[in-house]
Amino acid sequence: MTNAKAAAAPLPADHPQVAPPRIGVLLVNLGTPDAPDAPSVRRYLAEFLSDRRVVEIPQILWQPILRGIILTTRPKKSAHAYAQVWTDEGSPLAAITQRQAEALQAVFRETVQVAHAMRYGEPAIGGAIDALTAAGCRNILVAPLYPQYCAATTATVVDAVGKHLQTLRWQPTLRFLPPYYDDAAYLGALKESAERGLAALDFTPDVLLASFHGMPERTLHLGDPYHCQCRKTARLLSDALGRPVEVVFQSRFGRAKWLEPATDVRLEQLGREGRSVAVFAPGFSADCLETLEELAIRGKQQFESAGGRHFAYLPCLNADAPGMAMLETLVRRELAGWL
């Protein structure tokens, strides 16, 4: 009997129900609390800040600090920040990531099952993988939506997937979307998005700031490529735009030395100098607390308090046409041989 005939042979009457084989794509972003209130933020931060890749302090030292100080003081402050950007759809990050998954599903139709998950919070990675396998997905592409590789982001997604696989008897075949910090499709989408945003302004910014999420400086010296990949993204985008793109790093936390220059410090300096600025966040695939509150609201206030007058925040790629075209290109490439 040929392989084709064998594949077409009917199953025995007593065979367990098996869904027809399909291909799955799982988009993964960082995460978000369920609501903009202190209890929800506390649960989210407890999970996020307990990840050993996120905070690389020995747990015997870190957990008393986390449980005794941070989780009793920070949730209320963070909840206030979340409340400023919360929408009728809920968390901006969750809503946008869901729209990205829905848009990608519309492109691939029945050939691919697309789902989304959050590394911290809901929908959880394990539940999303279970849903895909229940739908018959034996081949799954996991796509961490982080253009630049960092152990605290990309690697922890791989960790979570691997941990869930340990619970499965019939494991799917997996691929992971690699970092795409210098990919032509990503740079083209950033260029188109930035040019659209700049063209809509009623002023021409003197300085274009690319604000990436910060990391402790020690991670660079330990071999994490994140800093170098952020720099390369900005350099290549500067070449594409034909104008300088200045790199800064935001979201400093704790007393350790972080990657510099710091976004808030640079914004205050530009404000004092009376220069106009447009800031965007190419390391984020979707607008979230760090972009909408930290940059667009608080960053603007810092800039204007220092004397600045012309400030603009340019949105992330989100589920807009340039970003979705890029995501489709990347996903199709990684599904080669499966589709």
Side-chain angles (χ1 to χ4, degrees), residues 121-137:
E122 297 293 335
I125 288 175
I129 291 176
D130 288 344
L132 287 173
T133 56
C137 297

Side-chain angles (χ1 to χ4, degrees), residues 240-325:
L241 290 172
R243 63 168 296 168
V245 174
E246 187 176 327
V247 172
V248 288
F249 295 94
Q250 63 183 88
S251 307
R252 288 176 297 167
F253 177 75
R255 298 180 179 179
K257 183 176 176 60
W258 281 53
L259 297 176
E260 294 180 336
T263 302
D264 54 351
V265 173
R266 183 60 176 142
L267 284 174
E268 290 177 2
Q269 180 183 16
L270 290 170
R272 289 194 301 270
E273 295 173 354
R275 306 179 74 188
S276 59
V277 61
V279 58
F280 68 116
F284 295 86
S285 61
D287 275 309
C288 55
L289 181 74
E290 287 79 5
T291 65
L292 298 174
E293 191 276 336
E294 186 176 352
L295 294 179
I297 296 176
R298 196 151 29 104
K300 181 180 180 181
Q301 292 172 347
Q302 292 164 338
F303 175 76
E304 293 179 342
S305 295
R309 292 173 55 188
H310 297 293
F311 173 96
Y313 169 69
L314 307 181
C316 293
L317 294 176
N318 296 326
D320 295 336
M324 292 312 305

Side-chain angles (χ1 to χ4, degrees), residues 14 28 46 55 93 209 214 217 230 311 328:
D14 60 348
V28 183
V55 180
L93 178 67
L209 289 183
E217 187 182 275
C230 291
F311 173 96
E328 180 187 352

Side-chain angles (χ1 to χ4, degrees), residues 42-51 67 119-121:
R42 186 176 296 109
R43 288 193 299 272
Y44 168 70
L45 290 179
E47 181 183 8
F48 175 46
L49 296 178
S50 292
D51 191 321
R67 306 288 170 176
R119 174 59 185 90
Y120 312 100

Side-chain angles (χ1 to χ4, degrees), residues 21-45:
R22 303 179 70 187
I23 297 166
V25 172
L26 180 59
L27 306 182
V28 183
N29 220 317
L30 186 72
T32 177
D34 298 323
D37 56 46
S40 299
V41 173
R42 186 176 296 109
R43 288 193 299 272
Y44 168 70
L45 290 179

